[in-house]
Amino acid sequence: MKGKIKYIIAVLAFIGGTSLQAQTRLTLDSCRSIALANNRQSKSAQMQLQKMDYEVKAYRANFLPRISAQGMYLYTTTDFRYRKRYNLFNTEELQASMNQLPMPDWEKLFFNQVFSKAYVDLDLWVRPSNVFLSGLQFEQPLYMGGKITTAYKMSKTGRQIAQLNVIRSDAETLLKTDRAYWNYVKVQELHHTALKYREAVQSVLNDARNGVETGMVSENDRMKAQVKWGEADLMVREAENGKRLARMNLCMTIGLPLLTPVVPLDTLPDELPVMLPEAVPDVTVRTEYAMLNKQLEMKKQQVNLTRSEFMPQLALGGGYNYINGVRINDTKLFDNASLSAVLTLKIPVTQWIEGSNRVRSAKADFYIAEYQMQESADLLQLEMMKAYNTLDEALLKTAIARDEYAQTQENLRIFNDRYELGLETLSALLEAQALWQQAWSRFIEAKVALRMAESDYARVTNGATE
């Protein structure tokens, strides 16, 4: 992987330092690498995967105890002072009690005067300034009804979906790159064909002009050759314009400036290097099918997550705190530490009706997703069969086009020889040249269609993601 990254950087650096007049020669593999490095969709998928990595780590942290530190400091200039005198005895009750005692009146009067003067003074001065509190608190879930475990599993499943999405995104990027690259190769080959055809028609036109001067060729035949040359020249112009647009489209697809003068190095050989697979593989090999499975798994986990909301919950908590401050009459009231622990149990009692219905609703979502997955799997299998048939037909069309091109080549050779001997007319030779050019163009288009069919079949069978 590091080697591939260095290769991409080297290619981009080379392109960045290349003038518009110079040509940048790229193979299909190098275009693929540059496209994966520059494609915004691929970058977005990679960023989504990175995000899910963080989500997994965040949910995994829920298994650990939560520890927090706290602190508080209070400073105030306000003081609180409380003064009051309290009598120790109730005078009226004391007199009533003395009157019932069997003693002389002078004794009763003496004791009443003594006890009525018994009192105490209360004088409190509270200063709450310079008070601070510090401590550590912790919480440890013991059983949350499976909520923490399920949420963690869902985050891991979400990461797997994001990873599969990266593969799918890369496969789509590669397919677009293949199409743009082979389309550029096609128009380049067609441009070469148009040049060869115009050259052949030019030769016939020169012979016709010379024949008109010597009286061997009629003016009408010369005019026919002139018309054919104009058509050939138009083909060349159209091919040049097509090359320009195809080059810009390739640059846009792989993320290079539109005017970068890239030139494809891969060619279209006359032989058929593509082999038709023996049979279409099972749909389970597809990345999209794996994503559907993971999404269905998420729906199943959602049922467990919903159920956990209405299950008993057990948690352990505790703390260690230290408090210092609050003076009463210049004596410090607090200067100590304390350790505490609490075990909390929460059991839903009346929520079982709501919980039962919510779980059933989540199960219904799971069944809906299951039905949709079955339908999507059939569509994916149908797409694979369609790609297989397209590849099969492309192989057959290429073979037919190759035979047709070989036949028109031989036919043109025969007509050239017969024309040189004066056994064929100029019109027949021009027609043979046109048939040769058309067969050559169809052969090129068939070979490109075969390459594109191969890329598409590789994508739907995960072959393009290697």
Side-chain angles (χ1 to χ4, degrees), residues 310-329:
F310 304 94
M311 297 290 288
Q313 298 179 358
L314 181 65
L316 175 65
Y320 180 82
N321 298 288
Y322 173 76
I323 185 171
N324 185 295
V326 183
R327 289 182 173 274
I328 298 180
N329 294 348

Side-chain angles (χ1 to χ4, degrees), residues 276-277 279-289 376-392 453 456-463:
L276 184 67
V280 179
D282 191 74
V283 70
T284 55
V285 304
R286 295 200 60 171
T287 302
E288 292 85 349
Y289 184 82
S376 299
D378 291 340
L379 292 175
L380 292 175
Q381 187 70 51
L382 184 62
E383 185 183 19
M384 294 173 67
M385 180 58 69
K386 182 180 178 181
Y388 180 86
N389 292 339
T390 301
L391 180 59
D392 181 29
D456 189 52
Y457 183 77
R459 177 187 65 86
V460 298
T461 58
N462 278 10

Side-chain angles (χ1 to χ4, degrees), residues 289-443:
Y289 184 82
M291 292 182 67
L292 290 173
N293 259 331
K294 292 302 178 181
Q295 291 169 356
L296 186 62
E297 185 179 335
M298 286 280 281
K299 289 294 183 181
K300 187 176 182 179
Q301 292 168 348
Q302 184 63 46
V303 175
N304 297 331
L305 185 64
T306 303
R307 184 183 291 111
S308 68
E309 297 288 342
F310 304 94
M311 297 290 288
Q313 298 179 358
L314 181 65
L316 175 65
Y320 180 82
N321 298 288
Y322 173 76
I323 185 171
N324 185 295
V326 183
R327 289 182 173 274
I328 298 180
N329 294 348
D330 288 332
T331 301
K332 187 179 292 186
L333 182 62
F334 299 110
D335 186 11
N336 59 348
S338 63
L339 183 65
S340 61
V342 60
L343 188 66
T344 304
L345 176 63
K346 179 181 178 183
I347 302 177
V349 178
T350 61
Q351 296 93 330
W352 66 271
I353 298 179
E354 177 189 359
S356 176
N357 289 313
R358 288 192 178 275
V359 171
R360 290 173 181 173
S361 176
K363 286 183 177 180
D365 286 338
F366 170 75
Y367 295 139
I368 292 173
E370 193 173 32
Y371 298 145
Q372 291 176 345
M373 176 184 173
Q374 295 172 359
E375 182 179 0
S376 299
D378 291 340
L379 292 175
L380 292 175
Q381 187 70 51
L382 184 62
E383 185 183 19
M384 294 173 67
M385 180 58 69
K386 182 180 178 181
Y388 180 86
N389 292 339
T390 301
L391 180 59
D392 181 29
E393 294 169 3
L395 279 166
L396 183 58
K397 289 178 181 179
T398 305
I400 295 173
R402 179 186 58 189
D403 294 341
E404 181 187 11
Y405 173 61
Q407 188 274 326
T408 56
Q409 273 188 314
E410 179 62 19
N411 184 67
L412 179 59
R413 186 189 65 80
I414 293 174
F415 270 79
N416 272 323
D417 293 343
R418 291 174 63 86
Y419 179 75
E420 292 292 336
L421 298 175
L423 300 177
E424 285 293 345
T425 63
L426 184 142
S427 297
L429 178 58
L430 291 173
E431 184 65 23
Q433 288 178 336
L435 292 175
W436 163 73
Q437 186 275 330
Q438 293 170 8
W440 195 1
S441 298
R442 283 194 291 268
F443 186 32

